[in-house]
């Protein structure tokens, strides 16, 4: 399958089977995170892999995991992140988001569903998982075997803005 076909197939899954994610699939998702680029190759991203019932319940107090049997808390270490000299912008959210995107595409390639979760309580997650002050929880990725039908890969033709609106030529 081409990359574009894979990207079109990926969609947010918000209902999961209780079946655990196979360890070799978890390893492949983590490998995709491992090779993700980061600003100036600073590699500030850190993952917290949550798959125990206790861990999922704990994380579920701060985010809706949609019943996923696996979640990754995608964090970035502000001390390691690149800072743009012109305006001081720190790359934590960008680096964590690129990593999360690699993980979502890998999950799709493995036949797994995922949903990128930004609606969560970062302070609660920080406290619940005893994160150091420099580690910023940027997003959560829920992963598992989809319980519902996947959306059509052709949905982008009607659900997305036209390419002409997306791109401005200069």
């Amino acid at each position: 399958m081409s990359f574009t076909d894979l990207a079109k197939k990926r969609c947010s899954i918000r209902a999961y089977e209780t079946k655990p994610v196979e360890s070799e699939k978890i390893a492949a998702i983590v490998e995709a995170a491992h090779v993700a680029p980061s600003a100036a190759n600073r590699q500030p991203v850190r993952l917290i892999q949550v798959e125990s019932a206790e861990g999922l319940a704990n994380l579920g107090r701060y985010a809706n995991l949609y019943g996923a049997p696996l979640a990754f808390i995608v964090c970035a270490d502000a001390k390691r992140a690149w800072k743009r000299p012109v305006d001081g912008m720190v790359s934590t959210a960008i680096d964590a988001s690129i990593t999360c995107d690699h993980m979502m595409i890998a999950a799709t390639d493995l036949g797994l569903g995922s949903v990128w979760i930004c609606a969560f309580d970062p302070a609660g997650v920080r406290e619940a998982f005893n994160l150091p002050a420099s580690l910023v929880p940027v997003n959560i990725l829920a992963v598992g075997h989809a319980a519902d039908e996947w959306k059509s890969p052709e949905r982008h033709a009607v659900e997305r803005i036209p390419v002409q609106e997306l791109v401005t030529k200069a």
Side-chain angles (χ1 to χ4, degrees), residues 32-161:
H34 185 243
V35 301
S38 63
N41 199 29
R42 299 293 300 268
Q43 303 174 48
V45 177
R46 299 295 178 269
L47 302 174
I48 296 149
Q49 181 178 318
V50 184
E51 57 185 321
S52 71
E54 180 183 343
L56 291 165
N58 199 15
L59 184 56
R61 294 178 13 221
Y62 304 103
N64 184 352
L65 302 177
Y66 302 97
L70 171 65
F72 292 94
I73 306 168
V74 184
C75 303
D77 187 335
K79 289 181 181 176
R80 289 188 59 96
W82 177 76
K83 186 183 282 189
R84 186 166 50 202
V86 174
D87 62 1
M89 186 276 302
V90 180
S91 68
T92 50
I94 296 166
D95 292 334
S97 297
I98 291 169
T99 298
C100 193
D101 189 58
H102 270 57
M103 295 168 74
M104 287 188 300
I105 294 295
T108 301
D109 191 41
L110 295 164
L112 296 170
S114 65
V115 63
W116 181 333
I117 302 166
C118 288
F120 69 96
D121 176 0
V125 169
R126 176 185 299 285
E127 183 178 333
F129 290 87
N130 199 28
L131 301 180
S134 67
L135 208 56
V136 178
V138 178
N139 48 49
I140 296 167
L141 183 64
V143 180
H145 296 274
D148 291 336
E149 293 287 321
W150 289 63
K151 294 179 184 174
S152 168
E154 303 309 315
R155 72 191 181 281
H156 302 286
V158 293
E159 292 181 2
R160 300 286 180 176
I161 62 172

Side-chain angles (χ1 to χ4, degrees), residues 20-30 49 51 70 110 145:
V21 175
E22 300 85 344
S23 60
E24 64 275 4
K25 290 183 178 183
I26 295 172
I29 292 167
V30 170
Q49 181 178 318
E51 57 185 321
L70 171 65
L110 295 164
H145 296 274

